[in-house]
Amino acid sequence: MNVLARSQAPAPDTDTGVLLSARGLTKVYDTGEVKVQALRGVDLDVHRGELLVMLGASGSGKSTLLNILGGLDRPTEGDVQFEGKSLTRRSDAGLTRYRRNHVGFIFQFYNLVPSLTARENVALVTEIARDPIPPEEALDMVGLAARLDHFPAELSGGEQQRVAVARAIAKRPALLFCDEPTGALDSKTGIQVLEALDHVNRELGATTVVITHNVGIAEMSDRIIRLSDGLIVDIDEVGRAKKPSELSW
Amino acid sequence: MVSWISALDRKLLRDLFHMRGQGLAVGAIVACGVAIMVMALGAISSLELSRDTYYDRYRFADVFSNAKRAPERLATEIADIEGVRTVETRISRMVTLDIEGMREPANAQLVSLPENGEPRLNGVLLYSGRFPDPSRPDEAVVSKAFVDAHGFTLGSNVRAIINGRARDLEIVGIGDSPEHVYMLGPSGLLPDEKRFAVFWLSRRALEAAFDLDGAFNNVSVSLSPGANPQGVIDGLDGLLEPYGTGGAYGAEDQLSNAFIESEMQQLAAIAAIIPPIFLVVSALLINAILARLIATERQQIGLLKAFGFDQREIAWHYVKMALGMVLGGILVGFVLGAALARLMTNLYTNSFRFPDMIFRLDPSAFVIGGGSAAIAAIIGAIASARSAANLAPAEAMSPAPPTVYSKGALQRAFARIHFDEPTRMILRHVTRWPIRAAVTVVGVAAAQALLVGTLFAFDAIDEMLEQHFDRTDAYDAAINFVEPMNYSAVREIERLPGVLSVQPNRDVSIRIRHGQLDERVWLVGVDPTGRQRRLLDDNQRFMDMPEHGLALSSQLASMVVAGVGDRVTLEVLEGERPVLDAPVTAIVNEAMGWPAFMDVDALGDLLGESDVVSGVYAMIDPDKEAEFSEAVLARPGIASVALQRASIESFNESMEENINIMMTIYALIGGAIAAAVVYNAARIGLTERGRELASLRVLGFTEGEVSYILIGELGLLVFLALPLGGLLGMGLAYLVASSMATELFRIPVTIDPSTHGMAAAIVVVSSIAAALFVRQRVKTLDLIAVLKTRE
Ligand SMILES: Nc1ncnc2c1ncn2[C@@H]1O[C@H](COP(=O)(O)OP(=O)(O)O)[C@@H](O)[C@H]1O
Ligand SMILES: [Mg+2]
């Protein structure tokens, strides 16, 4: 799959095949004393190349769903298929391969390795990837070409999150999962991060799923889904109304 | 930038650098363990090579025997024994020396040399001079240590009392022989360079002096490859029986060789017992350090997993970290061990007379030392590496919940007592992390145990000396006759100047058999009324020799696996050579050697003699020692005279340096372990509780109060560790004593209270030093930074 081909000839309509599909997902967390039902039967198709935003109140199950789609966790019931093949029936090693070869993550708290520079944090991932973008280039894409050799402690929060974006996209993932990527940032730096995300989504064609609390962010997406109490209550086709810089917080 | 080293390995290196203090602590412990292993193995291989080279070049014999007087023609018959390759007959006798300026007599073994000076077996290495001219009976080659100790040179004269006649022997050569690497004199305790020498004279001179024309009294043979030594021993015994042999024996019973073997055995025991203690402590520390590190790096691990690093890669990352921590220690251990092996080998030149002490470090010493340290590191890392590898990525990404504290058993037990808040924090922390607290306690206890288990050796030496010189062998002088004498000889000794009292002594060479096992030993006749040579029971109390039967030294009892009530067979190896069955009626405690004892009258009956003595023990007036020496030397028929005072002095002299060196090494090593363990615990506590402590500082607690929380906990743990360490140390002492015991020495397990005290003092001082070092860091706690960082 040549993902860069799309950046030369953007043709969204031909690319709406289903990349990831979830059916009947439930998730019960059993903490011993109490059982928490985090998902109660979720059906969802994620289309190739789209930018999907998940909204929902805190505790509604967004992270749980994202983790299951990203192969970080398994559902209690239900099935997830990636390119038509079941993920849930895979072994741990199989899930690891899925993440290693196809998935990039961005988390709220950046999760950079503090003892590695920006470049090295990206290299950490590109070294185990099959056809990566060189770390320098990936950092350039998020506007950090001048910060290659800085350690996380020497970077601002927004810069750290942009390193995390570069790290996530440098392996040319088919799927990019972002869990509240701007949650710890102020609006200005948040917009910079979203611009970076938007940019790589278009440039690399990575199918992107973003969790956010911020309704405004949703306006830059192709589709918006809303979760409430472990169920998808609404799917909204928007179709990239705004650029990140036009968003209001 | 060329990335010749992966990003993950860079993280590894930076983490290691960041933890360098703890890495150094672990490294120091590993270095000690590896160094001791390399030292012991290196000393073994050096001793072995030096010995083998010497034996080979100077044709050390395989089987030895003696006789009163055997005709020379027997040599051809001996050569015909199946398995014998070379035969060398000799004349060998103990004589006394009268040395100018020395109050007490010295002893020499006279050994004959063939006409050309080159014996076929047990060759003499000539450092300088020449072999004696057969036509000049008073020329001698003399052993080097003795020549050096007295400052003699070629041409010096030494007066020997040969067959009751004083003769001045001229030193024409200075030499040594593989038979006398460990030169034990008749006092049989330690090499005494001043008081024991070997003199090689021409065969003709000794034939004339001892009236042994055409005869020999000593023979050694070498074996053809693959020959059975026992067959040769039996053959020799058969041929020499009519000529009064004391029985043939193999190289393993040759005294000097047995001492070398025993030293190598002890080194092997050190290598097997001591380094594992270090490696266990290092594994425990690595375990604690990594457990803490993984808690800190939870989210990084989750991230690595999210990005598709698999379990193996993550586990390997932490195993590599452990290996990284020990690698430096291993290398330092190699260097240190090589240096210590060299030092040890040099110390051996004091006690073992090799012409060249060859230093060789076998590569296997490094492989074994480094390999076992690496394995310990992996074992220490495995639990943490596994838990890191199994961390569920989704869970790792969410911040760890606050530590759950509860009122543990310890606190409930102390519920009535009112503790201040900081003390309560200490107790809660200890009970919250009981395993980590246990690691610290065990680590410090190991340091204490190691100190007790090594320093006790000096108590043991004192105990052995005290037991030997003050209790079992409480005489001042032991006089041995050339041949058994009539009782009147005792009376004559008693009349010598300075003699306060005497105790006659009869001992005889025997072979003792029990089942399949047999040993050649001395059977010592004990006079139940005597006060100079006595027996001790298991509890170090004097005991009476049973009227009947045999008392075995406990070493001998274990060698032939006999206990009280068993019957053993005695073959007397002189005179009429009677054979007798006798019950074992007692087991006695001897510090050195492995003799058997019998009531002196019963022994007389066994030998069919009465009032025959082979020597005399005597108490001497210290002010009249010189007159006594002079008088005793003038008497005929005396093979050797040993003065205990001189033995003790020479022992102390030659041991003092070694003891001081070893004590210092043990103390440093034990202190290093304690310091490393405490330092580590303090650092872990500081990373874990940095936020908490900084918060307290923000709330207005003083530096001292905050330090108390950190250091008070360590104090509590060290306090708990000391008694445990004392107990473990006693166990270790038993283990060391039992595995270092050889046929030549049995090490008593006596631990002086001062040794426990010294060990505890070293541990406490090292712990305080380490804690103070970490306390410096409390001062530099960056309050704002600590509170800002997200745990
Ligand atoms: N590891 C877990 N153990 C127990 N309960 C959990 C765990 N993770 C999430 N939950 C619970 O599941 C529900 C959904 O959580 P989550 O998916 O994190 O929601 P969101 O991301 O929408 O805030 C919540 O009630 C949360 O408390
Ligand atoms: Mg969430």
Side-chain angles (χ1 to χ4, degrees), chain A:
Chain A
M1 179 176 67
N2 185 354
V3 290
L4 277 177
R6 193 175 161 254
S7 66
Q8 281 132 20
D13 287 339
T14 61
D15 250 343
T16 48
V18 174
L19 185 57
L20 200 59
S21 87
R23 290 293 173 273
L25 293 186
T26 66
K27 178 73 181 181
V28 180
Y29 289 109
D30 190 349
T31 56
E33 289 143 33
V34 279
K35 287 194 169 119
V36 179
Q37 176 109 33
L39 296 179
R40 304 170 181 272
V42 169
D43 298 333
L44 177 66
D45 287 331
V46 179
H47 301 272
R48 209 178 279 279
E50 75 171 328
L51 197 158
L52 182 76
V53 162
M54 270 192 223
L55 295 177
S58 180
S60 57
K62 306 180 297 290
S63 295
T64 304
L65 178 57
L66 191 87
N67 288 347
I68 291 172
L69 295 178
L72 287 175
D73 206 350
R74 293 170 187 283
T76 310
E77 278 169 41
D79 190 30
V80 180
Q81 296 200 338
F82 171 69
E83 292 181 326
K85 284 180 225 108
S86 172
L87 280 184
T88 34
R89 280 203 294 276
R90 289 195 185 201
S91 63
D92 276 354
L95 281 184
T96 301
R97 264 198 312 282
Y98 165 65
R99 298 197 301 264
R100 188 173 184 135
N101 297 332
H102 305 292
V103 181
F105 288 100
I106 297 163
F107 301 99
Q108 182 178 358
F109 292 111
Y110 340 130
N111 288 5
L112 299 181
V113 175
S115 55
L116 296 180
T117 61
R119 186 207 314 256
E120 288 162 354
N121 261 289
V122 178
L124 188 64
V125 174
T126 58
E127 277 165 6
I128 62 165
R130 287 167 174 174
D131 174 29
I133 304 170
E136 296 77 6
E137 234 171 87
L139 285 162
D140 191 26
M141 288 171 81
V142 296
L144 284 177
R147 299 283 188 154
L148 293 180
D149 293 321
H150 287 65
F151 284 95
E154 299 162 349
L155 297 171
S156 73
E159 286 169 333
Q160 289 187 52
Q161 191 62 303
R162 279 188 281 157
V163 174
V165 172
R167 180 178 61 187
I169 54 102
K171 62 152 89 162
R172 302 179 203 272
L175 282 156
L176 189 55
F177 294 103
C178 317
D179 193 341
E180 302 192 31
T182 59
L185 303 174
D186 59 64
S187 67
K188 189 158 161 273
T189 43
I191 286 168
Q192 285 172 355
V193 168
L194 290 175
E195 264 172 348
L197 268 182
D198 185 58
H199 179 65
V200 299
N201 171 256
R202 289 171 194 274
E203 192 107 318
L204 298 178
T207 306
T208 308
V209 182
V210 183
I211 293 179
T212 180
H213 276 301
N214 189 312
V215 187
I217 295 176
E219 294 177 21
M220 64 178 256
S221 68
D222 291 315
R223 285 198 298 160
I224 300 168
I225 62 172
R226 285 195 178 73
L227 268 87
S228 173
D229 203 14
L231 282 171
I232 295 181
V233 291
D234 182 42
I235 301 187
D236 199 359
E237 306 269 350
V238 263
R240 301 262 171 137
K242 293 185 179 173
K243 287 195 189 139
S245 53
E246 301 167 59
L247 299 181
S248 59
W249 291 56

Side-chain angles (χ1 to χ4, degrees), chain B residues 630-650:
Chain B
E630 198 175 321
V632 79
L633 283 174
R635 298 196 48 78
I638 289 178
S640 69
V641 180
L643 290 188
Q644 301 275 61
R645 182 191 55 73
S647 301
I648 298 171
E649 277 169 12
S650 85

Side-chain angles (χ1 to χ4, degrees), chain B residues 424-443:
Chain B
R424 208 165 293 172
M425 285 175 75
I426 290 175
L427 290 178
R428 225 161 259 172
H429 198 250
V430 167
T431 47
R432 176 62 188 81
W433 305 105
I435 295 185
R436 193 184 303 157
V439 165
T440 304
V441 170
V442 168

